[in-house]
């Protein structure tokens, strides 16, 4: 019920919004007199009186029995202190004999302050049922159940004697302290005394004696039982075993101590983060090398210790590790207090507990600057060596070209046909070696070449001796040949091309376009490299097995393990093929 004659505070309107349909009895008490400024239908029904009869009455006037029981005074203290309070039962609210669970919370926004009261009827249970449930509960979790007088004198059952070996008569009063570990007695006495003075919950961990010797960790908890006036009638409590938990905690502390000792002794930068990746430990070496404290590494501050080129990729890699729960491994440069960047190897791994839950990340940064410097020097040396070898190859090719030119010049001055022919053949062979070296320079490295490059170089060289010749090359771009076999094969192919281009073949009529051409092809067939030179039907290739050229071809083919075959194909064209195993 609200006062509709004047505007109501927003807090009352909000309470009414949820309370009108609530099954719980809800009321608002306002001001020092604790006047009932609102109660919902459930509260009116519980009180057995209409809302109009309760509205704006002081609580003591509406329910005199609460005043006699001292409960009104305690509610006033709650209002003054602004604290939340909850008690198990409230008597004499409404019809006699009914029990209520009550929850009380302070309200702001009301003149003079206010309290929100919610009542829920507590079902009665026979005392023997409640006692049985109580005993079953405590027996399942506690080593011993105890009680104490309001002034703190403890009364132990026989379980205490069985647990500690101390007779019950000796444990009575304050004698039970003698069964505690000497180091724990005085702290426990002080905390128990504090609980007795304040009436607050008592909870303390201590060691008790074992009958067979030694000590056992327990946690003692006690709560005060109060009468209707709020006075403490007695204390009840339990001692629960926590030996396993204490052992586990001790083992964890020892493990952490070992980790810290190892981390501080290691010559690496060692760090640890929580499950989210937030730093929670860095060793002394990290701080010495980087000049950054643990606080300065948090909230992404560790990125400032990295080289700008490494910070972004490492942040991305670390983010993936956090998301996937996997390891993180990377090389990076760390800024040292000396102002220089040094290369480090970062290795980070997740740490899980026994249940498989990720708890921490542990990582190290190991100085590998010397290794990186050595690798850089090696790369520079290899690059210099490669440049030197390529320069040497270039000079070798130029020298061979010079020799070929001299031979060609000499051949032009010789009038004897046989001598001129020999010099021209020597020129072609020297030129073929130069072209193979040129292909090596164009290759991926100086130990191998692309076969298509070598065939094009041979064709270009042949046209210098036979201007206007139609030489066609066909080879896949990915075919690679090692240098050891490249030069002998270049000489063989050069001999065959030169033979195919001898006088008597040019201008020959053919069955179609290119019938008079010389073709130089390479392909892979049945796990072997097949190189073929073909020419028109009247080509001297049909007599390639005669003369010095034939001797050179057979000797070089034997050297590289190539098989030689020849024949006549479509359109009457003749061909000579070399078959070379790819695994040779």
């Amino acid at each position: 019920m609200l006062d509709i004659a004047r505007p109501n505070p927003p807090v009352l309107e909000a309470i009414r919004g949820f309370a009108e349909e609530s099954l719980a009895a809800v009321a608002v008490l306002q001001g020092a007199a604790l006047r009932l400024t609102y109660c919902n239908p459930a509260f009116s029904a519980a009180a057995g009186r209409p809302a109009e009869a309760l509205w704006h009455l002081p609580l003591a006037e509406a329910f005199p029995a609460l005043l006699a029981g001292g409960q009104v005074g305690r509610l006033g203290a709650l209002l003054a202190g602004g604290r939340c309070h909850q008690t198990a039962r409230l008597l004499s609210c409404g019809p006699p004999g009914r029990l209520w669970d009550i929850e009380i919370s302070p309200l702001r926004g009301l003149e003079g302050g206010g309290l929100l009261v919610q009542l829920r009827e507590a079902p009665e249970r026979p005392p023997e049922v409640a006692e049985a449930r109580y005993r079953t509960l405590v027996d399942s979790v506690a080593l011993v159940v105890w009680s104490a007088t309001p002034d703190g004198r403890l009364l132990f059952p026989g379980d205490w004697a069985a647990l500690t070996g101390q007779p019950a008569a000796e444990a009575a009063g304050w004698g039970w302290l003698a069964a505690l570990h000497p180091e724990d007695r005085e702290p426990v006495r002080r905390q128990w005394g504090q609980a007795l003075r304040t009436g607050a919950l008592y909870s303390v961990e201590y060691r008790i004696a074992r009958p067979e010797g030694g000590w056992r960790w327990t946690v003692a908890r006690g709560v005060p039982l109060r009468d209707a006036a709020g006075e403490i009638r007695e204390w009840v409590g339990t001692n629960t075993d926590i030996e396993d938990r204490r052992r586990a905690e001790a083992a964890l502390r020892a493990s952490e101590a070992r980790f810290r000792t190892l981390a501080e002794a290691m010559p690496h930068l060692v760090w640890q983060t929580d499950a989210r990746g937030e730093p929670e430990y860095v060793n002394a070496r990290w701080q010495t090398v980087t000049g950054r404290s643990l606080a300065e590494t948090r909230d992404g501050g560790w990125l400032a210790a990295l080289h700008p080129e490494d910070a972004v990729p490492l942040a991305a890699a670390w983010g993936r590790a956090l998301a996937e729960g996997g390891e993180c491994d990377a090389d990076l440069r760390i800024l040292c207090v000396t102002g220089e960047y040094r290369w480090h190897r970062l290795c980070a791994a997740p740490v899980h507990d026994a249940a498989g839950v990720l708890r921490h990340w542990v990582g190290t940064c190991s100085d590998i600057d010397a290794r990186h410097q050595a690798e850089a020097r090696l790369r520079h040396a290899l690059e210099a060596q490669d440049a030197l070898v390529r320069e040497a190859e270039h000079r070798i090719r130029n020298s061979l070209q010079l020799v070929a030119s001299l031979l060609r010049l000499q051949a032009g001055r010789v009038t004897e046909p046989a001598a001129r022919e020999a010099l021209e053949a020597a020129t072609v062979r020297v030129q073929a070696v130069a072209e193979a070296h040129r292909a090596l320079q164009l290759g991926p490295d100086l130990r191998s070449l692309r076969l298509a490059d070598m065939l094009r170089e041979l064709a270009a060289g042949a046209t210098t001796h036979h201007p206007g010749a139609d030489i066609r090359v066909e080879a896949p771009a990915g075919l690679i040949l090692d240098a050891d076999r490249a030069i002998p094969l270049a000489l063989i192919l050069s001999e065959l091309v030169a033979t195919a281009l001898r006088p008597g073949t040019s201008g020959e009529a053919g069955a179609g376009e290119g019938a008079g051409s010389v073709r130089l092809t390479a392909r892979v067939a049945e796990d072997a490299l097949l190189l073929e030179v073909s020419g028109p039907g009247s080509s001297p290739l049909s007599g390639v097995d005669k003369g010095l050229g034939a001797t050179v071809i057979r000797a070089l083919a034997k050297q590289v393990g190539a098989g030689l075959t020849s024949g006549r194909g479509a359109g009457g064209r003749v061909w000579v093929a070399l078959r070379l195993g790819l695994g040779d």
Side-chain angles (χ1 to χ4, degrees):
M1 178 185 65
L2 295 174
D3 182 1
I4 60 175
R6 58 180 178 177
N8 293 297
V11 65
L12 289 180
E13 293 288 352
I15 292 172
R16 183 183 184 188
F18 78 84
E20 286 297 304
E21 304 298 327
S22 175
L23 297 178
V26 179
V28 174
L29 307 178
Q30 185 174 350
L34 298 176
R35 294 183 182 275
L36 281 152
T37 55
Y38 169 76
C39 62
N40 70 345
F43 188 92
S44 296
R49 299 163 67 181
E52 292 77 7
L54 296 173
W55 182 75
H56 217 60
L57 287 178
L59 185 63
E61 184 178 336
F63 301 102
L66 295 180
L67 180 62
Q71 302 227 31
V72 173
R74 288 199 298 275
L75 291 178
L78 288 173
L79 177 64
R83 301 191 307 274
C84 180
H85 173 74
Q86 183 172 352
T87 186
R89 299 292 169 88
L90 175 67
L91 302 177
S92 303
C93 181
R98 297 182 70 178
L99 300 176
W100 304 88
D101 290 331
I102 180 170
E103 183 176 337
I104 304 166
S105 303
L107 288 176
R108 295 178 177 83
L110 293 178
E111 183 179 352
L115 296 175
L116 175 65
V117 179
Q118 300 182 71
L119 300 178
R120 293 178 179 84
E121 188 166 9
E124 293 191 58
R125 300 185 181 93
E128 62 273 12
V129 174
E131 177 66 18
R133 291 183 177 177
Y134 164 75
R135 293 302 310 178
T136 301
L137 175 63
V138 297
D139 288 345
S140 66
V141 298
L143 294 170
V144 65
V145 181
W146 48 266
S147 62
T149 60
D151 62 356
R153 290 178 293 108
L154 265 65
L155 304 173
F156 282 100
D159 293 346
W160 178 261
L163 181 66
T164 65
Q166 183 186 38
E170 295 180 10
W174 290 83
W176 56 275
L177 286 170
L180 275 57
H181 192 284
E183 295 176 0
D184 301 334
R185 292 170 189 166
E186 189 55 35
V188 169
R189 182 192 294 274
R190 287 197 303 270
Q191 293 187 54
W192 180 227
Q194 177 71 11
L196 293 174
R197 287 190 298 273
T198 62
L201 176 70
Y202 168 67
S203 180
V204 62
E205 297 180 3
Y206 55 77
R207 289 159 287 183
I208 59 175
R210 296 175 182 265
E212 68 277 12
W215 304 95
R216 182 179 193 174
W217 276 102
T218 70
V219 57
R221 293 188 175 91
V223 295
L225 296 182
R226 300 177 184 271
D227 57 20
E231 299 297 327
I232 297 177
R233 294 188 290 107
E234 66 173 331
W235 290 79
V236 294
T238 62
N239 275 65
T240 304
D241 185 273
I242 58 169
E243 181 69 23
D244 290 342
R245 193 201 79 192
R246 278 284 188 158
R247 288 181 181 273
E249 291 173 350
L252 178 60
R253 287 193 298 271
S255 176
E256 291 177 345
R258 287 194 297 272
F259 168 74
R260 294 290 192 272
T261 301
L262 178 62
E264 295 300 330
M266 291 178 68
H268 311 289
L269 315 184
V270 183
W271 47 269
Q272 178 178 297
T273 76
D274 59 19
R276 299 175 294 109
E278 188 66 20
E280 57 186 14
Y281 166 77
V282 292
N283 69 345
R285 185 164 182 79
W286 164 274
Q287 300 182 63
T288 300
V289 171
T290 67
R292 298 175 185 272
S293 66
L294 174 61
E296 292 173 315
T297 67
R298 290 176 172 154
D299 298 322
W302 56 273
L303 287 169
L306 308 184
H307 192 285
E309 295 177 2
D310 302 333
V312 173
L314 181 62
W318 179 232
R320 287 193 300 271
L322 291 175
E324 300 169 2
E327 297 182 355
C328 185
D329 194 342
D331 284 8
L332 51 91
R333 285 160 288 184
I334 293 179
L335 179 62
C336 303
V337 292
T338 58
E340 64 173 335
Y341 285 98
R342 291 186 65 85
W343 280 100
H344 286 75
R345 183 72 171 182
L346 179 143
C347 298
V351 178
H352 300 83
D353 62 16
V357 177
L358 194 154
R359 294 299 185 187
H360 304 283
W361 291 82
V362 175
T364 61
C365 296
S366 305
D367 192 312
I368 56 170
D369 196 71
R371 192 195 78 188
H372 263 268
Q373 296 295 340
E375 290 175 350
R377 289 192 295 271
L378 178 60
R379 283 195 302 272
H380 294 156
L382 290 175
E383 290 168 0
Q385 181 184 13
D386 182 73
L388 181 61
V389 172
R390 288 187 183 277
E391 177 64 21
E393 283 289 331
H394 178 71
R395 292 182 180 276
I396 290 170
R397 175 178 177 273
N398 287 347
S399 298
L400 290 172
Q401 292 279 23
L402 178 60
V403 172
S405 298
L406 293 173
L407 289 174
R408 191 178 299 111
L409 180 63
Q410 184 66 37
R413 295 187 177 187
V414 173
T415 57
E416 171 62 35
R420 185 170 58 251
E421 183 178 348
L423 286 173
E424 289 176 349
T427 301
V428 169
R429 291 165 188 147
V430 172
Q431 185 71 39
V433 175
E435 286 149 1
H437 278 275
R438 169 65 176 165
L440 274 173
Q441 284 186 294
L442 297 175
D445 52 51
L446 295 174
R447 296 182 297 277
S448 60
L449 53 75
R450 286 181 288 269
L451 200 53
D453 290 342
M454 188 179 79
L455 298 186
R456 283 193 292 268
E457 290 295 322
L458 290 175
T463 58
T464 62
H465 299 284
H466 303 277
D470 185 5
I471 305 175
R472 304 186 180 190
V473 173
E474 181 180 343
L479 276 180
I480 302 296
L481 188 65
D482 60 275
D484 291 338
R485 294 185 292 180
I487 293 177
L489 285 175
L491 286 169
I492 294 173
L493 295 173
S494 176
E495 288 287 341
L496 293 174
V497 170
T499 301
L501 291 174
R502 284 177 187 167
T505 65
S506 60
E508 179 179 323
E513 182 183 356
S517 65
V518 173
R519 298 175 186 173
L520 189 55
T521 63
R523 68 182 188 276
V524 174
E526 299 177 356
D527 296 327
L529 178 62
L530 193 64
L531 298 108
E532 184 178 284
V533 177
S534 64
S538 59
S539 170
L541 279 173
S542 57
V544 75
D545 57 343
K546 301 175 183 177
L548 177 61
T551 301
V552 171
I553 290 172
R554 286 195 295 272
L556 293 173
K558 183 177 181 181
Q559 177 181 332
V560 297
L564 276 170
T565 56
S566 61
R568 189 174 293 273
R573 291 178 63 83
V574 294
W575 52 264
V576 177
L578 292 93
R579 187 179 185 86
L580 185 65
L582 291 175
D584 294 344

